[in-house]
Amino acid sequence: MRLLLPFAAWVLTSALLVSARPVQAPQGEPGDGGAAFDEEEEAKLAAIREYEDSKKYFHEPGSDDLLGHYDSRYFDQLLSYEDKRDTQVHMIRAYLGTFQEKGIETWIAHGTLLGWWWNGKMLPWDWDIDTQVSEGTLKYLATKLNYTLHTYTAASSSLHSNEITRTYLLDVNPHWAERERGDGFNIIDARWIDVDSGLYIDITALSETYPDVLPGMLSCKNLHRYDPKDLYPMRETTYEGVVAKVPYNYDVVLVEEYNDDALVTTVFEGHVWNPTIKEWVKQKAVGDQE
């Protein structure tokens, strides 16, 4: 998942992939074996990709910041900046509203929590929405609500002249009960997926994964660790206009993950913080007309 200040990209790695990096084929005359070498290496890489696909449950159409944040099953095309923002707002409202209605505890995390800290909204450049649940809640989702569709309606908006209707899939990773990172292919426990666009919310659970060496500490499979006193009791707030929960010591959580700069830096990812309107404003690219 994408992290901010300092920047880090969510990368799935394995010893197998590292040990099988593509080797530059030797250049030579036709017939000297160079083409055969290329084909052999390509076959090896194809086998590695097939192996990864067989191990990983959730799949994306690509691995960069854009394509890496869509679910392959529902991806058709990249959304524009405006449509992405609109889709994400409805997606998180639907998610939080559904969980609230069903009495299921969840809270916002990572870059989503950082956006809340600034103005209770998404960071406009962030493709990723992150939420967390307890291990007990994840078990409930897996056994009672897995692969269920949820319909959401909203009033018309500046982008939509008519009432908005969206459908979301709650999909729990079949590897959810494995609470250690393992090979890293299944660190996301569940997703809330917009079936029209493929954009999604990552849901990860916190467990006391290492009671012998880290008694009482809660962690997800992506190695984020928390002291329960920094999480509970949860604070009730609003996010994108709907009821949401955040960790009790949210500032401690944010600084530990991103450092102090994340709470004071006002120019980032092509956006500037405007304190008057309390919004991140997109900077004009060089050559843009007024």
Side-chain angles (χ1 to χ4, degrees):
M1 61 188 68
R2 187 173 180 184
L3 303 182
L4 308 170
L5 299 173
F7 172 83
W10 174 35
V11 183
L12 297 176
T13 59
S14 70
L16 177 61
L17 181 58
V18 170
S19 64
R21 289 175 179 167
V23 179
Q24 181 66 41
Q27 302 300 311
E29 296 299 324
D32 66 357
F37 183 85
D38 286 341
E39 292 175 2
E40 181 181 346
E41 287 301 303
E42 184 56 40
K44 289 180 181 178
L45 291 175
I48 291 170
R49 286 191 290 267
E50 183 178 353
Y51 170 80
E52 290 178 350
D53 287 345
S54 70
K55 297 278 286 183
K56 189 174 185 290
Y57 179 67
F58 292 119
H59 294 278
E60 303 77 36
S63 58
D64 61 13
D65 288 341
L66 300 180
L67 292 174
H69 291 96
Y70 291 88
D71 187 283
S72 292
R73 293 167 292 181
Y74 302 101
F75 173 74
D76 180 53
Q77 62 183 350
L78 288 171
L79 297 184
S80 67
Y81 177 90
E82 292 76 18
D83 286 341
K84 178 208 69 134
R85 162 70 178 165
D86 181 69
T87 299
Q88 286 180 316
V89 168
H90 289 298
M91 186 162 54
I92 191 63
R93 287 176 178 173
Y95 171 86
L96 293 173
T98 299
F99 275 53
Q100 174 86 356
E101 179 183 315
K102 295 182 179 298
I104 303 171
E105 185 178 63
T106 186
W107 58 95
I108 56 177
H110 308 308
T112 308
L113 180 63
L114 182 58
W116 168 83
W117 185 90
W118 279 94
N119 63 353
K121 297 180 180 181
M122 287 281 306
L123 295 170
W125 60 83
D126 198 356
W127 283 96
D128 199 42
I129 301 178
D130 292 292
T131 64
Q132 292 175 331
V133 296
S134 68
E135 183 179 4
T137 294
L138 179 62
K139 181 177 181 180
Y140 177 81
L141 297 179
T143 56
K144 302 296 184 182
L145 291 174
N146 190 22
Y147 230 73
T148 53
L149 291 171
H150 304 265
T151 302
Y152 159 91
T153 58
S156 59
S157 67
S158 58
L159 290 179
H160 305 277
S161 57
N162 300 318
E163 184 180 73
I164 302 159
T165 301
R166 303 280 172 88
T167 301
Y168 304 95
L169 171 68
L170 177 60
D171 190 4
V172 181
N173 192 322
H175 302 278
W176 67 270
E178 301 171 10
R179 299 315 307 153
E180 294 191 12
R181 181 182 178 85
D183 55 24
F185 289 122
N186 292 289
I187 58 176
I188 302 303
D189 291 309
R191 279 180 177 169
W192 179 266
I193 305 166
D194 179 290
V195 300
D196 291 321
S197 68
L199 285 175
Y200 56 77
I201 296 173
D202 276 335
I203 306 169
T204 53
L206 302 185
S207 314
E208 188 182 4
T209 312
Y210 306 103
D212 295 334
V213 293
L214 295 170
M217 292 294 289
L218 301 177
S219 62
C220 67
K221 290 192 282 190
N222 203 26
L223 307 181
H224 296 286
R225 297 190 176 98
Y226 305 89
D227 188 324
K229 70 176 174 32
D230 290 330
L231 297 176
Y232 300 102
M234 290 283 168
R235 296 178 184 269
E236 190 168 285
T237 181
T238 58
Y239 183 74
E240 289 293 355
V242 296
V243 175
K245 289 185 178 180
V246 298
Y248 183 74
N249 287 328
Y250 53 82
D251 49 349
V252 172
V253 171
L254 285 171
V255 169
E256 194 161 297
E257 183 167 356
Y258 299 115
N259 76 45
D260 294 314
D261 288 347
L263 308 184
V264 296
T265 298
T266 56
V267 179
F268 197 71
E269 287 287 331
H271 293 74
V272 178
W273 174 252
N274 184 321
T276 302
I277 62 174
K278 292 182 169 37
E279 293 279 355
W280 287 96
V281 179
K282 190 175 182 180
Q283 293 176 295
K284 288 184 180 294
V286 175
D288 281 358
Q289 300 297 314
E290 293 295 334

